[in-house]
Amino acid sequence: MTEQEHNIPLTSPEIAALWTSYLQHSATTCFYKHFLQHLKDQEIKPIVEEMLALETSYLQKIEQIFVTESFPIPKAFTDKDVDLTAPALFTDLFALSFVYRVGQMTVPYYATVLTKVARKDVVAYYDEGLMSSKALYKKSLELMLSKGIYDRPPKMMYPKEVEYMEKQQTLFGAFFGEKRPLNSMELSEIFSTIERNYIGLLLMMGLIQVTKDQEIKAYLLKGKKLSEKQIDTFNKILRKEEQLGNIPVSMEVTASTTSPFSDRLIMFLISATTTTGIYMLSYALSTSLRKDLAVHYSILLTEIMSYGGEGLEIIIKRGWMEQPPQTVNRQDLYK
């Protein structure tokens, strides 16, 4: 970076992106470190090792930018938040699905950030990160396919010709039988919703059985019910459409009751995945033209947003929430 380029301060989108990325990568690296203490599968282990190395490099690059800018590095999550002596909490197959799920979140996030940043070093970081994350996501997907644990989305007959919609259904019709078949966009989003909630459900199951704090356990149990509700709701829709419902893949939780993770890390991860769930359901709502689907998505969004708010209250109440970077409060300066 030239001296002139260095004098360009980070913009608010660049600060927000780097700060958020740092917290998220520091959290997921704790999970990879736990997985690697127990992984036996010689095909899965290299992918998890590669993912840990990749996310560690992300943290180092962001730290370098922050140090150059004299910007405070977030405390985030460290080895203090993971007990590497704890027994395995998840099977090898779940570790693979975790890499796959993180890839599903990182790739679109990095792509979105690229449209909001401008400084040369920040653009380079997210561009390189997007390429690396995409390549590793493809590896995890291919291995899931070869292991038989990727549940393929529903198939559909190809249309014979181009057709135009004649009318938009009425809300009354959507509830009382005036329904058309699901279109490809709607099927795609229903599958994605079910798939990510299956993985989330397994994550919740593991965390619930090792969490000793009763308030956090109750919160996780509520989240588990929300995941189950989404799976049941959309599988019922698929079955009504003569589409087979998605079947859970075999990625078991072990019988361990010793937590490998700090309560703070657990709450952060659930908060982060809840935020992603809100974003993904909002997108699904925007692409669904059938009003009965829109009603389901709207109800679920309200419930999940409320759930996310409860989690945030717990995190803040316990002093676990790092304050996102803020602008100067001009009103205070005027006093």
Side-chain angles (χ1 to χ4, degrees):
M1 185 189 302
T2 66
E3 184 178 350
Q4 185 178 7
E5 288 170 335
H6 172 63
N7 290 333
I8 300 173
L10 294 169
T11 63
S12 53
E14 290 162 352
I15 292 171
L18 292 167
W19 188 87
T20 301
S21 298
Y22 192 86
L23 262 68
Q24 291 176 343
H25 292 314
S26 71
T28 49
T29 53
C30 293
F31 278 78
Y32 300 133
K33 289 175 182 178
H34 169 66
F35 294 149
L36 287 171
Q37 294 299 308
H38 306 285
L39 275 170
K40 299 293 190 296
D41 190 302
Q42 294 305 306
E43 290 181 297
I44 297 175
K45 190 173 182 179
I47 285 185
V48 177
E49 288 175 334
E50 188 176 348
M51 190 63 160
L52 176 59
L54 182 62
E55 295 215 353
T56 300
S57 73
Y58 289 162
L59 293 171
Q60 292 169 346
K61 290 174 182 177
I62 296 174
E63 281 181 10
Q64 189 174 30
I65 294 173
F66 282 160
V67 168
T68 302
E69 292 297 313
S70 298
F71 192 96
I73 298 172
K75 298 294 184 184
F77 300 94
T78 66
D79 288 346
K80 293 179 180 179
D81 293 289
V82 56
D83 180 1
L84 299 181
T85 67
L89 183 54
F90 300 100
T91 62
D92 289 7
L93 292 178
F94 180 83
L96 173 60
S97 74
F98 191 89
V99 173
Y100 165 77
R101 182 73 186 106
V102 170
Q104 284 184 319
M105 294 187 290
T106 303
V107 171
Y109 178 68
Y110 271 41
T112 300
V113 167
L114 264 176
T115 67
K116 299 179 180 180
V117 299
R119 208 173 86 170
K120 189 174 181 180
D121 57 339
V122 181
V123 170
Y125 165 72
Y126 281 103
D127 184 41
E128 293 168 9
L130 176 60
M131 296 302 104
S132 300
S133 296
K134 184 174 69 173
L136 196 48
Y137 170 75
K138 288 170 64 178
K139 282 187 182 180
S140 67
L141 173 59
E142 289 166 3
L143 188 53
M144 287 183 75
L145 286 166
S146 71
K147 296 281 187 185
I149 62 168
Y150 179 77
D151 192 11
R152 289 183 180 275
K155 295 181 175 62
M156 60 180 290
M157 298 293 291
Y158 296 166
K160 295 181 179 179
E161 58 184 0
V162 174
E163 296 182 52
Y164 289 90
M165 295 179 67
E166 295 181 359
K167 66 174 181 176
Q168 173 67 309
Q169 294 171 265
T170 63
L171 185 59
F172 180 86
F175 274 118
F176 296 99
E178 184 192 327
K179 288 183 181 176
R180 56 160 177 77
L182 293 167
N183 64 36
S184 57
M185 292 183 293
E186 291 160 346
L187 271 173
S188 173
E189 291 307 315
I190 286 174
F191 169 79
S192 295
T193 301
I194 295 172
E195 180 195 48
R196 67 174 175 269
N197 275 283
Y198 271 140
I199 296 175
L201 183 59
L202 288 165
L203 177 65
M204 287 281 195
M205 288 169 59
L207 298 179
I208 288 167
Q209 75 185 34
V210 299
T211 300
K212 303 298 187 290
D213 186 296
Q214 292 305 306
E215 182 181 31
I216 295 176
K217 187 184 288 286
Y219 181 72
L220 296 178
L221 283 165
K222 187 172 183 179
K224 178 175 176 285
K225 289 180 181 177
L226 266 176
S227 287
E228 290 170 337
K229 180 176 181 178
Q230 292 178 74
I231 293 168
D232 292 343
T233 296
F234 293 108
N235 263 332
K236 283 179 183 176
I237 292 172
L238 289 180
R239 287 193 290 270
K240 284 181 180 178
E241 298 287 325
E242 300 297 323
Q243 296 277 352
L244 293 178
N246 289 2
I247 301 169
V249 293
S250 180
M251 297 181 290
E252 298 85 0
V253 179
T254 71
S256 174
T257 57
T258 302
S259 181
F261 313 115
S262 69
D263 289 344
R264 175 172 167 264
L265 174 59
I266 289 171
M267 287 300 299
F268 174 85
L269 187 73
I270 298 306
S271 178
T273 54
T274 300
T275 300
T276 301
I278 292 170
Y279 169 77
M280 297 305 294
L281 279 181
S282 299
Y283 177 77
L285 173 61
S286 72
T287 64
S288 298
L289 299 177
R290 240 175 62 169
K291 288 191 173 69
D292 60 326
L293 292 180
V295 169
H296 285 303
Y297 284 128
S298 298
I299 292 172
L300 287 168
L301 271 169
T302 301
E303 293 178 354
I304 295 169
M305 288 174 70
S306 175
Y307 179 72
E310 289 177 30
L312 195 59
E313 285 182 11
I314 294 173
I315 295 172
I316 294 173
K317 179 180 68 176
R318 297 189 179 216
W320 292 342
M321 182 72 179
E322 288 192 56
Q323 177 70 61
Q326 293 183 307
T327 59
V328 173
N329 189 327
R330 297 291 176 187
Q331 296 302 319
D332 286 346
L333 295 178
Y334 296 159
K335 292 177 182 177

mmCIF file with all atom_site columns, all heavy atoms in Angstrom, residues 306-323:
data_model
loop_
_atom_site.group_PDB
_atom_site.id
_atom_site.type_symbol
_atom_site.label_atom_id
_atom_site.label_alt_id
_atom_site.label_comp_id
_atom_site.label_asym_id
_atom_site.label_entity_id
_atom_site.label_seq_id
_atom_site.pdbx_PDB_ins_code
_atom_site.Cartn_x
_atom_site.Cartn_y
_atom_site.Cartn_z
_atom_site.occupancy
_atom_site.B_iso_or_equiv
_atom_site.pdbx_formal_charge
_atom_site.auth_seq_id
_atom_site.auth_comp_id
_atom_site.auth_asym_id
_atom_site.auth_atom_id
_atom_site.pdbx_PDB_model_num
ATOM 1   N N   . SER A 1 306 ? -38.094 -12.299 17.263 1.00 0.00 ? 306 SER A N   1
ATOM 2   C CA  . SER A 1 306 ? -38.326 -12.224 18.702 1.00 0.00 ? 306 SER A CA  1
ATOM 3   C C   . SER A 1 306 ? -37.316 -13.090 19.445 1.00 0.00 ? 306 SER A C   1
ATOM 4   O O   . SER A 1 306 ? -36.763 -12.678 20.482 1.00 0.00 ? 306 SER A O   1
ATOM 5   C CB  . SER A 1 306 ? -39.755 -12.679 19.020 1.00 0.00 ? 306 SER A CB  1
ATOM 6   O OG  . SER A 1 306 ? -39.966 -12.728 20.419 1.00 0.00 ? 306 SER A OG  1
ATOM 7   N N   . TYR A 1 307 ? -37.061 -14.278 18.914 1.00 0.00 ? 307 TYR A N   1
ATOM 8   C CA  . TYR A 1 307 ? -36.085 -15.194 19.514 1.00 0.00 ? 307 TYR A CA  1
ATOM 9   C C   . TYR A 1 307 ? -34.692 -14.566 19.517 1.00 0.00 ? 307 TYR A C   1
ATOM 10  O O   . TYR A 1 307 ? -33.969 -14.624 20.521 1.00 0.00 ? 307 TYR A O   1
ATOM 11  C CB  . TYR A 1 307 ? -36.073 -16.504 18.731 1.00 0.00 ? 307 TYR A CB  1
ATOM 12  C CG  . TYR A 1 307 ? -35.067 -17.523 19.242 1.00 0.00 ? 307 TYR A CG  1
ATOM 13  C CD1 . TYR A 1 307 ? -35.274 -18.193 20.435 1.00 0.00 ? 307 TYR A CD1 1
ATOM 14  C CD2 . TYR A 1 307 ? -33.916 -17.813 18.515 1.00 0.00 ? 307 TYR A CD2 1
ATOM 15  C CE1 . TYR A 1 307 ? -34.356 -19.127 20.906 1.00 0.00 ? 307 TYR A CE1 1
ATOM 16  C CE2 . TYR A 1 307 ? -32.997 -18.741 18.974 1.00 0.00 ? 307 TYR A CE2 1
ATOM 17  C CZ  . TYR A 1 307 ? -33.225 -19.402 20.164 1.00 0.00 ? 307 TYR A CZ  1
ATOM 18  O OH  . TYR A 1 307 ? -32.304 -20.316 20.625 1.00 0.00 ? 307 TYR A OH  1
ATOM 19  N N   . GLY A 1 308 ? -34.313 -13.959 18.410 1.00 0.00 ? 308 GLY A N   1
ATOM 20  C CA  . GLY A 1 308 ? -33.015 -13.301 18.330 1.00 0.00 ? 308 GLY A CA  1
ATOM 21  C C   . GLY A 1 308 ? -32.886 -12.181 19.334 1.00 0.00 ? 308 GLY A C   1
ATOM 22  O O   . GLY A 1 308 ? -31.822 -11.987 19.938 1.00 0.00 ? 308 GLY A O   1
ATOM 23  N N   . GLY A 1 309 ? -33.979 -11.436 19.548 1.00 0.00 ? 309 GLY A N   1
ATOM 24  C CA  . GLY A 1 309 ? -33.969 -10.350 20.525 1.00 0.00 ? 309 GLY A CA  1
ATOM 25  C C   . GLY A 1 309 ? -33.763 -10.871 21.943 1.00 0.00 ? 309 GLY A C   1
ATOM 26  O O   . GLY A 1 309 ? -33.035 -10.262 22.746 1.00 0.00 ? 309 GLY A O   1
ATOM 27  N N   . GLU A 1 310 ? -34.376 -12.004 22.253 1.00 0.00 ? 310 GLU A N   1
ATOM 28  C CA  . GLU A 1 310 ? -34.199 -12.614 23.580 1.00 0.00 ? 310 GLU A CA  1
ATOM 29  C C   . GLU A 1 310 ? -32.740 -13.014 23.802 1.00 0.00 ? 310 GLU A C   1
ATOM 30  O O   . GLU A 1 310 ? -32.184 -12.812 24.892 1.00 0.00 ? 310 GLU A O   1
ATOM 31  C CB  . GLU A 1 310 ? -35.095 -13.847 23.706 1.00 0.00 ? 310 GLU A CB  1
ATOM 32  C CG  . GLU A 1 310 ? -36.579 -13.550 23.806 1.00 0.00 ? 310 GLU A CG  1
ATOM 33  C CD  . GLU A 1 310 ? -37.400 -14.832 23.851 1.00 0.00 ? 310 GLU A CD  1
ATOM 34  O OE1 . GLU A 1 310 ? -36.878 -15.848 24.353 1.00 0.00 ? 310 GLU A OE1 1
ATOM 35  O OE2 . GLU A 1 310 ? -38.551 -14.817 23.384 1.00 0.00 ? 310 GLU A OE2 1
ATOM 36  N N   . GLY A 1 311 ? -32.137 -13.579 22.763 1.00 0.00 ? 311 GLY A N   1
ATOM 37  C CA  . GLY A 1 311 ? -30.741 -13.994 22.876 1.00 0.00 ? 311 GLY A CA  1
ATOM 38  C C   . GLY A 1 311 ? -29.821 -12.810 23.081 1.00 0.00 ? 311 GLY A C   1
ATOM 39  O O   . GLY A 1 311 ? -28.878 -12.866 23.878 1.00 0.00 ? 311 GLY A O   1
ATOM 40  N N   . LEU A 1 312 ? -30.105 -11.724 22.368 1.00 0.00 ? 312 LEU A N   1
ATOM 41  C CA  . LEU A 1 312 ? -29.284 -10.521 22.496 1.00 0.00 ? 312 LEU A CA  1
ATOM 42  C C   . LEU A 1 312 ? -29.377 -9.959  23.912 1.00 0.00 ? 312 LEU A C   1
ATOM 43  O O   . LEU A 1 312 ? -28.384 -9.487  24.476 1.00 0.00 ? 312 LEU A O   1
ATOM 44  C CB  . LEU A 1 312 ? -29.744 -9.478  21.473 1.00 0.00 ? 312 LEU A CB  1
ATOM 45  C CG  . LEU A 1 312 ? -28.795 -8.305  21.215 1.00 0.00 ? 312 LEU A CG  1
ATOM 46  C CD1 . LEU A 1 312 ? -27.439 -8.788  20.719 1.00 0.00 ? 312 LEU A CD1 1
ATOM 47  C CD2 . LEU A 1 312 ? -29.425 -7.340  20.211 1.00 0.00 ? 312 LEU A CD2 1
ATOM 48  N N   . GLU A 1 313 ? -30.556 -10.020 24.494 1.00 0.00 ? 313 GLU A N   1
ATOM 49  C CA  . GLU A 1 313 ? -30.733 -9.545  25.868 1.00 0.00 ? 313 GLU A CA  1
ATOM 50  C C   . GLU A 1 313 ? -29.876 -10.354 26.843 1.00 0.00 ? 313 GLU A C   1
ATOM 51  O O   . GLU A 1 313 ? -29.268 -9.795  27.763 1.00 0.00 ? 313 GLU A O   1
ATOM 52  C CB  . GLU A 1 313 ? -32.210 -9.635  26.266 1.00 0.00 ? 313 GLU A CB  1
ATOM 53  C CG  . GLU A 1 313 ? -33.085 -8.563  25.647 1.00 0.00 ? 313 GLU A CG  1
ATOM 54  C CD  . GLU A 1 313 ? -34.528 -8.667  26.109 1.00 0.00 ? 313 GLU A CD  1
ATOM 55  O OE1 . GLU A 1 313 ? -34.796 -9.436  27.061 1.00 0.00 ? 313 GLU A OE1 1
ATOM 56  O OE2 . GLU A 1 313 ? -35.385 -7.984  25.528 1.00 0.00 ? 313 GLU A OE2 1
ATOM 57  N N   . ILE A 1 314 ? -29.839 -11.674 26.651 1.00 0.00 ? 314 ILE A N   1
ATOM 58  C CA  . ILE A 1 314 ? -29.026 -12.531 27.520 1.00 0.00 ? 314 ILE A CA  1
ATOM 59  C C   . ILE A 1 314 ? -27.550 -12.175 27.386 1.00 0.00 ? 314 ILE A C   1
ATOM 60  O O   . ILE A 1 314 ? -26.823 -12.037 28.376 1.00 0.00 ? 314 ILE A O   1
ATOM 61  C CB  . ILE A 1 314 ? -29.248 -14.023 27.176 1.00 0.00 ? 314 ILE A CB  1
ATOM 62  C CG1 . ILE A 1 314 ? -30.690 -14.445 27.495 1.00 0.00 ? 314 ILE A CG1 1
ATOM 63  C CG2 . ILE A 1 314 ? -28.259 -14.910 27.938 1.00 0.00 ? 314 ILE A CG2 1
ATOM 64  C CD1 . ILE A 1 314 ? -31.043 -15.854 27.032 1.00 0.00 ? 314 ILE A CD1 1
ATOM 65  N N   . ILE A 1 315 ? -27.096 -12.000 26.148 1.00 0.00 ? 315 ILE A N   1
ATOM 66  C CA  . ILE A 1 315 ? -25.686 -11.690 25.895 1.00 0.00 ? 315 ILE A CA  1
ATOM 67  C C   . ILE A 1 315 ? -25.302 -10.352 26.518 1.00 0.00 ? 315 ILE A C   1
ATOM 68  O O   . ILE A 1 315 ? -24.259 -10.221 27.171 1.00 0.00 ? 315 ILE A O   1
ATOM 69  C CB  . ILE A 1 315 ? -25.407 -11.681 24.375 1.00 0.00 ? 315 ILE A CB  1
ATOM 70  C CG1 . ILE A 1 315 ? -25.597 -13.094 23.785 1.00 0.00 ? 315 ILE A CG1 1
ATOM 71  C CG2 . ILE A 1 315 ? -23.999 -11.186 24.077 1.00 0.00 ? 315 ILE A CG2 1
ATOM 72  C CD1 . ILE A 1 315 ? -25.542 -13.144 22.274 1.00 0.00 ? 315 ILE A CD1 1
ATOM 73  N N   . ILE A 1 316 ? -26.139 -9.337  26.333 1.00 0.00 ? 316 ILE A N   1
ATOM 74  C CA  . ILE A 1 316 ? -25.848 -8.008  26.869 1.00 0.00 ? 316 ILE A CA  1
ATOM 75  C C   . ILE A 1 316 ? -25.907 -8.015  28.391 1.00 0.00 ? 316 ILE A C   1
ATOM 76  O O   . ILE A 1 316 ? -25.038 -7.450  29.070 1.00 0.00 ? 316 ILE A O   1
ATOM 77  C CB  . ILE A 1 316 ? -26.823 -6.965  26.289 1.00 0.00 ? 316 ILE A CB  1
ATOM 78  C CG1 . ILE A 1 316 ? -26.589 -6.804  24.770 1.00 0.00 ? 316 ILE A CG1 1
ATOM 79  C CG2 . ILE A 1 316 ? -26.672 -5.624  26.993 1.00 0.00 ? 316 ILE A CG2 1
ATOM 80  C CD1 . ILE A 1 316 ? -27.599 -5.925  24.077 1.00 0.00 ? 316 ILE A CD1 1
ATOM 81  N N   . LYS A 1 317 ? -26.926 -8.684  28.943 1.00 0.00 ? 317 LYS A N   1
ATOM 82  C CA  . LYS A 1 317 ? -27.094 -8.741  30.399 1.00 0.00 ? 317 LYS A CA  1
ATOM 83  C C   . LYS A 1 317 ? -25.878 -9.348  31.084 1.00 0.00 ? 317 LYS A C   1
ATOM 84  O O   . LYS A 1 317 ? -25.495 -8.928  32.184 1.00 0.00 ? 317 LYS A O   1
ATOM 85  C CB  . LYS A 1 317 ? -28.352 -9.564  30.720 1.00 0.00 ? 317 LYS A CB  1
ATOM 86  C CG  . LYS A 1 317 ? -28.632 -9.733  32.211 1.00 0.00 ? 317 LYS A CG  1
ATOM 87  C CD  . LYS A 1 317 ? -29.894 -10.553 32.436 1.00 0.00 ? 317 LYS A CD  1
ATOM 88  C CE  . LYS A 1 317 ? -29.715 -12.000 32.004 1.00 0.00 ? 317 LYS A CE  1
ATOM 89  N NZ  . LYS A 1 317 ? -30.906 -12.829 32.301 1.00 0.00 ? 317 LYS A NZ  1
ATOM 90  N N   . ARG A 1 318 ? -25.234 -10.301 30.410 1.00 0.00 ? 318 ARG A N   1
ATOM 91  C CA  . ARG A 1 318 ? -24.089 -10.982 31.007 1.00 0.00 ? 318 ARG A CA  1
ATOM 92  C C   . ARG A 1 318 ? -22.753 -10.309 30.674 1.00 0.00 ? 318 ARG A C   1
ATOM 93  O O   . ARG A 1 318 ? -21.701 -10.821 31.020 1.00 0.00 ? 318 ARG A O   1
ATOM 94  C CB  . ARG A 1 318 ? -24.079 -12.437 30.548 1.00 0.00 ? 318 ARG A CB  1
ATOM 95  C CG  . ARG A 1 318 ? -25.314 -13.196 31.037 1.00 0.00 ? 318 ARG A CG  1
ATOM 96  C CD  . ARG A 1 318 ? -25.221 -14.652 30.776 1.00 0.00 ? 318 ARG A CD  1
ATOM 97  N NE  . ARG A 1 318 ? -26.401 -15.352 31.265 1.00 0.00 ? 318 ARG A NE  1
ATOM 98  C CZ  . ARG A 1 318 ? -26.386 -16.555 31.791 1.00 0.00 ? 318 ARG A CZ  1
ATOM 99  N NH1 . ARG A 1 318 ? -25.240 -17.203 31.908 1.00 0.00 ? 318 ARG A NH1 1
ATOM 100 N NH2 . ARG A 1 318 ? -27.492 -17.144 32.198 1.00 0.00 ? 318 ARG A NH2 1
ATOM 101 N N   . GLY A 1 319 ? -22.818 -9.195  29.983 1.00 0.00 ? 319 GLY A N   1
ATOM 102 C CA  . GLY A 1 319 ? -21.592 -8.462  29.672 1.00 0.00 ? 319 GLY A CA  1
ATOM 103 C C   . GLY A 1 319 ? -20.732 -9.144  28.629 1.00 0.00 ? 319 GLY A C   1
ATOM 104 O O   . GLY A 1 319 ? -19.508 -8.979  28.619 1.00 0.00 ? 319 GLY A O   1
ATOM 105 N N   . TRP A 1 320 ? -21.359 -9.903  27.720 1.00 0.00 ? 320 TRP A N   1
ATOM 106 C CA  . TRP A 1 320 ? -20.629 -10.668 26.700 1.00 0.00 ? 320 TRP A CA  1
ATOM 107 C C   . TRP A 1 320 ? -20.632 -9.988  25.337 1.00 0.00 ? 320 TRP A C   1
ATOM 108 O O   . TRP A 1 320 ? -19.988 -10.465 24.407 1.00 0.00 ? 320 TRP A O   1
ATOM 109 C CB  . TRP A 1 320 ? -21.249 -12.057 26.543 1.00 0.00 ? 320 TRP A CB  1
ATOM 110 C CG  . TRP A 1 320 ? -21.085 -12.955 27.724 1.00 0.00 ? 320 TRP A CG  1
ATOM 111 C CD1 . TRP A 1 320 ? -20.193 -12.814 28.751 1.00 0.00 ? 320 TRP A CD1 1
ATOM 112 C CD2 . TRP A 1 320 ? -21.834 -14.143 28.010 1.00 0.00 ? 320 TRP A CD2 1
ATOM 113 N NE1 . TRP A 1 320 ? -20.336 -13.846 29.649 1.00 0.00 ? 320 TRP A NE1 1
ATOM 114 C CE2 . TRP A 1 320 ? -21.330 -14.684 29.221 1.00 0.00 ? 320 TRP A CE2 1
ATOM 115 C CE3 . TRP A 1 320 ? -22.871 -14.821 27.362 1.00 0.00 ? 320 TRP A CE3 1
ATOM 116 C CZ2 . TRP A 1 320 ? -21.828 -15.845 29.799 1.00 0.00 ? 320 TRP A CZ2 1
ATOM 117 C CZ3 . TRP A 1 320 ? -23.380 -15.978 27.929 1.00 0.00 ? 320 TRP A CZ3 1
ATOM 118 C CH2 . TRP A 1 320 ? -22.873 -16.483 29.135 1.00 0.00 ? 320 TRP A CH2 1
ATOM 119 N N   . MET A 1 321 ? -21.357 -8.894  25.208 1.00 0.00 ? 321 MET A N   1
ATOM 120 C CA  . MET A 1 321 ? -21.529 -8.260  23.898 1.00 0.00 ? 321 MET A CA  1
ATOM 121 C C   . MET A 1 321 ? -20.515 -7.145  23.703 1.00 0.00 ? 321 MET A C   1
ATOM 122 O O   . MET A 1 321 ? -20.551 -6.125  24.389 1.00 0.00 ? 321 MET A O   1
ATOM 123 C CB  . MET A 1 321 ? -22.949 -7.688  23.772 1.00 0.00 ? 321 MET A CB  1
ATOM 124 C CG  . MET A 1 321 ? -23.247 -7.057  22.426 1.00 0.00 ? 321 MET A CG  1
ATOM 125 S SD  . MET A 1 321 ? -23.428 -8.288  21.135 1.00 0.00 ? 321 MET A SD  1
ATOM 126 C CE  . MET A 1 321 ? -23.785 -7.246  19.726 1.00 0.00 ? 321 MET A CE  1
ATOM 127 N N   . GLU A 1 322 ? -19.593 -7.349  22.761 1.00 0.00 ? 322 GLU A N   1
ATOM 128 C CA  . GLU A 1 322 ? -18.672 -6.261  22.420 1.00 0.00 ? 322 GLU A CA  1
ATOM 129 C C   . GLU A 1 322 ? -19.436 -5.197  21.645 1.00 0.00 ? 322 GLU A C   1
ATOM 130 O O   . GLU A 1 322 ? -20.203 -5.501  20.728 1.00 0.00 ? 322 GLU A O   1
ATOM 131 C CB  . GLU A 1 322 ? -17.506 -6.785  21.577 1.00 0.00 ? 322 GLU A CB  1
ATOM 132 C CG  . GLU A 1 322 ? -16.515 -7.628  22.358 1.00 0.00 ? 322 GLU A CG  1
ATOM 133 C CD  . GLU A 1 322 ? -15.236 -7.887  21.566 1.00 0.00 ? 322 GLU A CD  1
ATOM 134 O OE1 . GLU A 1 322 ? -14.595 -6.907  21.133 1.00 0.00 ? 322 GLU A OE1 1
ATOM 135 O OE2 . GLU A 1 322 ? -14.885 -9.069  21.389 1.00 0.00 ? 322 GLU A OE2 1
ATOM 136 N N   . GLN A 1 323 ? -19.197 -3.945  22.013 1.00 0.00 ? 323 GLN A N   1
ATOM 137 C CA  . GLN A 1 323 ? -19.881 -2.829  21.353 1.00 0.00 ? 323 GLN A CA  1
ATOM 138 C C   . GLN A 1 323 ? -19.374 -2.654  19.935 1.00 0.00 ? 323 GLN A C   1
ATOM 139 O O   . GLN A 1 323 ? -18.180 -2.446  19.728 1.00 0.00 ? 323 GLN A O   1
ATOM 140 C CB  . GLN A 1 323 ? -19.631 -1.543  22.138 1.00 0.00 ? 323 GLN A CB  1
ATOM 141 C CG  . GLN A 1 323 ? -20.233 -0.293  21.501 1.00 0.00 ? 323 GLN A CG  1
ATOM 142 C CD  . GLN A 1 323 ? -21.739 -0.298  21.570 1.00 0.00 ? 323 GLN A CD  1
ATOM 143 O OE1 . GLN A 1 323 ? -22.327 -0.322  22.629 1.00 0.00 ? 323 GLN A OE1 1
ATOM 144 N NE2 . GLN A 1 323 ? -22.372 -0.285  20.407 1.00 0.00 ? 323 GLN A NE2 1
#
